[in-house]
């Protein structure tokens, strides 16, 4: 699935991924290919983890934002995004 991570001032990450995990205001969310459409508000200070099809796992900390899934595309939009350590 295609993943785009965008901060208010820049594109942070884009590429193909096997899975995406994020903490929303409603709880932890795991997204795999062909996930049903959704739109959810990210918890403040939440970690977003991306498992790319090629490359190293990405761990990002977001502040203020949302995550959407539609037609095998995941979009994360946040006011601020900081790169964390891959785990």
């Amino acid at each position: 699935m295609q993943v785009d991570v965008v901060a208010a001032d820049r594109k942070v990450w884009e590429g193909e991924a096997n899975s995406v995990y994020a903490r929303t205001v409603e709880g932890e969310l795991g997204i795999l290919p062909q996930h049903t459409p959704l739109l959810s508000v990210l918890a403040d200070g939440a970690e977003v983890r991306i498992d790319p099809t090629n490359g190293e796992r990405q761990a990002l900390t977001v502040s203020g934002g949302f995550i959407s899934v539609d037609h095998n595309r995941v979009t994360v939009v946040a006011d601020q995004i900081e790169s964390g350590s891959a785990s």
Side-chain angles (χ1 to χ4, degrees):
M1 67 189 159
Q2 177 66 35
V3 178
D4 296 301
V5 181
V6 182
D9 60 344
R10 69 195 192 292
K11 182 170 270 194
V12 176
W13 193 88
E14 69 177 329
E16 293 287 321
N18 295 315
S19 61
V20 176
Y21 300 91
R23 187 168 38 93
T24 70
V25 295
E26 296 147 350
E28 186 74 19
L29 179 65
I31 301 167
L32 299 173
Q34 305 304 323
H35 195 284
T36 57
L38 72 82
L39 178 63
S40 189
V41 176
L42 293 166
D44 200 32
E47 182 178 67
V48 175
R49 296 179 315 278
I50 303 165
D51 291 318
T53 55
N54 296 318
E56 202 171 301
R57 177 182 282 177
Q58 302 293 311
L60 309 165
T61 302
V62 300
S63 176
F66 66 89
I67 186 167
S68 76
V69 180
D70 194 27
H71 292 95
N72 223 28
R73 176 178 291 272
V74 178
T75 304
V76 175
V77 178
D79 294 334
Q80 295 180 349
I81 301 175
E82 295 178 21
S83 294
S85 60
S87 52

